[in-house]
Amino acid sequence: MKAERNKYSLWFLAWPIFVELLLQLLLGAVDTLMVSRVSDDAVAVVGLANQIFQAVMILFMTVASGAGILIAQKIGANQQESARTVGIMAVTISGLIGAILSVILYVEAVPLARLFQLEERLIPMAHTYISIVGSGMVLTALTATLSTAIRNTGNTKGPMIIAIGMNVIHVVLNYAWINGAFGFPQLGLTGVAISTLLSRLVATCLLLYMFVSIFERRIRWRDLGVFNRKLFSEIIRIGWPLGVNMSSWVLSQLAIYSFLATMGAAALAARTYMNTLESICFMLGYSIALSAQIQIAHLFGSGQTQAAYKAGYRGTWIGLGLVGCNSILLLIIGKSFLGFFSSDKAIIELALSCLVLTAILQPGRMINMGFGNALNAIGDTRFNMVISLFSMWGVAAGLSYVLGLHYGLGLAGIYIAMMCDEYLRGILVAIRWRRKKYLRLAEGRTKGIEVVGPTPKVGYTSHP
């Protein structure tokens, strides 16, 4: 029992997630740094392409996210077979969705680039990158779902180790194809795309090998066709609001990127560089938020609602302290960091003009992420969905247009809008968590008390 508690302790879960996320960030940073050696135009293309990839990822991340929370809840409730079935269904369904998306992205690369008002001279680059990396979306779907399932069983070290291997392969292949080293042809942006594809292929194979033995009963090939309608309904009940939430964020970001595209390649490149810098600042806080979500879902599934409530506060405050320190660090290293990526003074000055706004933005993002993930962990996903639809579009995207384009504040106006969005949602989810609506409903069910009000639609199992 003590070993099980340690397995779901915040620190035990958080540090491997942090290392994994840091390595993923390094993957993106290395991409950006190496692509910047090709040209700043190439950086703008990669930045926009990654936004498109995030948009289509919603279709399988809806299943993966809902399944991950449900796996932790079922394990907390000591329902190992149900957790195993949920994991299998998530992988097979996400893989199928990813395969369909791979075909669409390969065929429709150019129309997608033009849809977001990319400059015509950048279209050939966009076609190359989107068609190659996009054709491997099935690998992205599998790696995301497998990592989510494995992490929510309490094993956060496995995905971390695989992320290390994936990064090493990607960096070596990037260097080889960009510079024509080790006998490889010099392919520039095409080489970066192929490198991304191959590194994800290796990661997928290793994650599948780990996944088959992650539950109490080993997964066999014949199990991949298993389907449980009741459990799938539970996945969707938790997952579809998460999907709407994610789609709202990604699509609103795409709208913002389309505003940036009208400002020119310099604004797109500056935003891409700043996004990498922001990710470094927020990494520790994000890892705490993800690990707290796993911990809270496990506690909630086992009926420990008060412990789950306290864990929500503990995770958010720890993350907020870390992010606050990192925000100060961001202000100190920002100029030097940006100098590594670009020698274009106009782009660097544009990015630096938003540095203070970026630092102020991060604590609001942590409050939003900390309490928002806590609500997701107990199945209260619809609230996040509703406030996201309002705030991301009305505040983040709407205010970005008004301040950035209408009033001519450019990139700074967009950062002000995003800051308002994060703090508004952060305040709302903090109030929701403090009121303990879903936790009180769960306590009433556990004690056999009749509860007045709607029943939370989550995979909850009552305990005597």
Side-chain angles (χ1 to χ4, degrees):
M1 180 65 76
K2 184 177 179 181
E4 184 71 10
R5 285 198 302 269
N6 289 338
K7 183 180 179 181
Y8 283 92
S9 70
L10 193 63
W11 168 247
F12 190 93
L13 293 168
W15 78 261
I17 292 177
F18 169 70
V19 173
E20 181 187 352
L21 291 174
L22 179 62
L23 289 169
Q24 288 179 1
L25 172 64
L26 290 175
L27 176 68
V30 167
D31 257 346
T32 305
L33 180 60
M34 290 187 168
V35 171
S36 71
R37 298 300 179 256
V38 178
S39 70
D40 286 319
D41 284 347
V43 172
V45 166
V46 172
L48 184 63
N50 287 338
Q51 291 296 314
I52 294 172
F53 297 149
Q54 286 183 6
V56 299
M57 281 172 62
I58 294 161
L59 293 171
F60 54 79
M61 285 307 297
T62 297
V63 176
S65 300
I69 292 170
L70 196 57
I71 286 169
Q73 288 184 0
K74 294 299 183 185
I75 291 176
N78 199 28
Q79 297 179 18
Q80 287 285 340
E81 278 300 305
S82 293
R84 179 180 180 273
T85 301
V86 169
I88 293 169
M89 287 193 298
V91 170
T92 53
I93 294 170
S94 296
L96 178 61
I97 295 172
I100 295 170
L101 291 173
S102 293
V103 175
I104 294 173
L105 287 168
Y106 181 78
V107 174
E108 300 294 332
V110 171
L112 283 170
R114 287 194 171 124
L115 179 64
F116 297 103
Q117 303 180 45
L118 191 66
E119 293 178 54
E120 195 64 29
R121 65 187 179 83
L122 302 180
I123 292 296
M125 270 192 205
H127 174 258
T128 297
Y129 191 80
I130 294 172
S131 61
I132 295 174
V133 177
S135 66
M137 192 54 61
V138 62
L139 300 176
T140 306
L142 289 172
T143 53
T145 307
L146 289 165
S147 295
T148 300
I150 293 168
R151 276 198 301 263
N152 279 275
T153 65
N155 179 2
T156 53
K157 290 183 182 178
M160 174 198 72
I161 293 169
I162 291 171
I164 293 173
M166 179 178 172
N167 274 268
V168 170
I169 292 169
H170 184 70
V171 169
V172 171
L173 291 179
N174 257 7
Y175 180 81
W177 267 311
I178 289 176
N179 299 293
F182 314 126
F184 282 74
Q186 190 171 3
L187 298 179
L189 187 61
T190 302
V192 173
I194 296 172
S195 170
T196 302
L197 203 62
L198 291 178
S199 60
R200 285 177 181 168
L201 176 61
V202 172
T204 301
C205 294
L206 293 173
L207 286 167
L208 278 170
Y209 178 77
M210 184 176 295
F211 176 73
V212 297
S213 57
I214 199 67
F215 298 102
E216 286 187 351
R217 187 161 65 91
R218 186 179 177 84
I219 296 171
R220 308 290 180 185
W221 281 109
R222 62 177 178 271
D223 295 325
L224 296 179
V226 69
F227 185 82
N228 183 301
R229 182 175 295 179
K230 182 180 178 182
L231 289 175
F232 183 70
S233 296
E234 291 186 60
I235 293 172
I236 297 303
R237 283 172 182 170
I238 295 175
W240 79 262
L242 290 175
V244 173
N245 192 356
M246 285 186 287
S247 65
S248 181
W249 184 82
V250 172
L251 293 175
S252 65
Q253 288 297 306
L254 277 172
I256 291 171
Y257 261 79
S258 71
F259 302 156
L260 285 167
T262 64
M263 299 175 192
L268 272 175
R271 171 59 184 146
T272 302
Y273 293 139
M274 287 299 294
N275 190 53
T276 302
L277 185 58
E278 290 171 37
S279 298
I280 293 173
C281 173
F282 192 69
M283 192 59 57
L284 271 171
Y286 187 43
S287 64
I288 292 293
L290 287 179
S291 56
Q293 177 177 296
I294 297 170
Q295 183 186 53
I296 292 166
H298 183 264
L299 290 168
F300 182 75
S302 65
Q304 301 178 64
T305 54
Q306 286 303 311
Y309 178 68
K310 292 177 182 177
Y313 279 106
R314 183 169 60 252
T316 302
W317 298 141
I318 291 172
L320 195 56
L322 294 170
V323 168
C325 293
N326 286 343
S327 294
I328 297 172
L329 183 62
L330 184 150
L331 293 173
I332 297 171
I333 69 168
K335 185 174 182 179
S336 300
F337 178 90
L338 290 167
F340 281 113
F341 287 88
S342 178
S343 58
D344 189 313
K345 291 184 178 180
I347 292 175
I348 293 176
E349 287 176 5
L350 186 59
L352 287 175
S353 68
C354 302
L355 197 59
V356 174
L357 294 173
T358 303
I360 297 172
L361 168 67
Q362 304 315 310
R365 181 172 289 166
M366 182 63 229
I367 295 170
N368 178 28
M369 183 70 68
F371 288 117
N373 278 24
L375 291 172
N376 291 339
I378 63 173
D380 192 3
T381 54
R382 293 190 183 185
F383 180 79
N384 273 329
M385 176 191 71
V386 172
I387 65 170
S388 294
L389 285 171
F390 165 74
S391 185
M392 290 177 186
W393 287 102
V395 180
L399 202 56
S400 287
Y401 178 82
V402 172
L403 296 178
L405 294 181
H406 183 71
Y407 285 105
L409 294 180
L411 190 58
I414 286 173
Y415 268 98
I416 292 171
M418 291 192 296
M419 184 170 61
C420 292
D421 165 54
E422 293 287 356
Y423 276 98
L424 175 60
R425 286 188 288 134
I427 291 169
L428 292 176
V429 292
I431 292 171
R432 179 74 167 189
W433 185 252
R434 181 176 176 80
R435 289 179 177 174
K436 300 198 295 186
K437 178 181 177 180
Y438 263 52
L439 292 170
R440 287 198 179 102
L441 289 169
E443 287 173 347
R445 285 179 153 234
T446 301
K447 297 174 183 177
I449 300 172
E450 183 179 353
V451 181
V452 178
T455 301
K457 295 183 178 180
V458 297
Y460 177 75
T461 302
S462 60
H463 296 269

